[in-house]
């Protein structure tokens, strides 16, 4: 598997764990993504078993130089966060930090926060 794909999957797994709990639906989503991407089985088990550190936003920014790709990742992260039907403040905090690093307008981040609450 390409290192870039692993980095994106790490971001998704980290978001799922941001509230300190991996919900059943989040686990199912990640498990399917890991399988679809042919992720190393041991790493997949580890990321489903324990919290995952969020990757360096600078690396993600370099991987996604286009603003629309960055926004797509932010939306994917938000959808994964909302899979448990609750948008935890730690999840929003993570999205805000990433959004700021990605240069996403504050008004867009506010709207995401309002829609997720």
């Amino acid at each position: 598997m390409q290192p870039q794909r692993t980095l994106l999957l790490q971001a998704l797994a980290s978001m799922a764990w941001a509230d300190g709990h991996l919900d059943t639906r989040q686990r199912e989503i990640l498990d399917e993504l890991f399988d679809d991407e042919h992720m190393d089985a041991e790493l997949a088990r580890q990321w489903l078993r324990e919290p995952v550190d969020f990757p360096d936003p600078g690396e993600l920014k370099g991987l996604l130089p286009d603003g629309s790709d960055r926004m797509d990742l932010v939306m994917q992260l938000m959808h994964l966060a909302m899979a448990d039907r609750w948008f935890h403040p730690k999840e929003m905090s993570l999205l805000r930090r990433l959004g700021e690093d990605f240069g996403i307008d504050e008004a867009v981040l506010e709207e995401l926060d309002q829609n997720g609450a």
Side-chain angles (χ1 to χ4, degrees):
M1 187 165 104
Q2 296 178 350
Q4 298 92 336
R5 297 300 300 165
T6 302
L7 197 65
L8 293 172
L9 291 172
Q10 180 181 354
L12 291 166
S14 179
M15 176 56 80
W17 279 103
D19 63 1
H21 174 73
L22 191 61
D23 176 82
T24 302
R25 181 67 185 128
Q26 291 170 321
R27 181 180 304 279
E28 291 169 354
I29 292 167
L30 289 175
D31 194 36
E32 185 176 320
L33 284 170
F34 295 165
D35 189 49
D36 288 349
E37 293 292 331
H38 307 289
M39 187 171 164
D40 175 74
E42 181 53 38
L43 184 58
R45 280 191 296 274
Q46 178 184 345
W47 285 1
L48 292 172
R49 189 175 52 235
E50 59 192 48
V52 179
D53 290 332
F54 198 80
D56 177 6
E59 287 184 66
L60 289 171
K61 190 174 178 179
L63 182 62
L64 303 169
D66 184 68
S68 65
D69 291 337
R70 293 176 188 172
M71 190 63 192
D72 286 346
L73 177 60
V74 168
M75 294 306 294
Q76 289 174 1
L77 291 168
M78 183 175 174
H79 288 297
L80 187 58
M82 293 294 297
D84 62 2
R85 298 191 173 145
W86 186 54
F87 201 40
H88 193 279
K90 288 183 180 179
E91 293 165 334
M92 188 59 220
S93 175
L94 183 57
L95 278 180
R96 278 191 176 286
R97 285 192 319 248
L98 185 62
E100 289 168 6
D101 284 342
F102 278 7
I104 295 173
D105 187 89
E106 179 66 26
V108 173
L109 295 173
E110 283 295 323
E111 185 176 334
L112 290 175
D113 192 12
Q114 294 302 315
N115 289 332

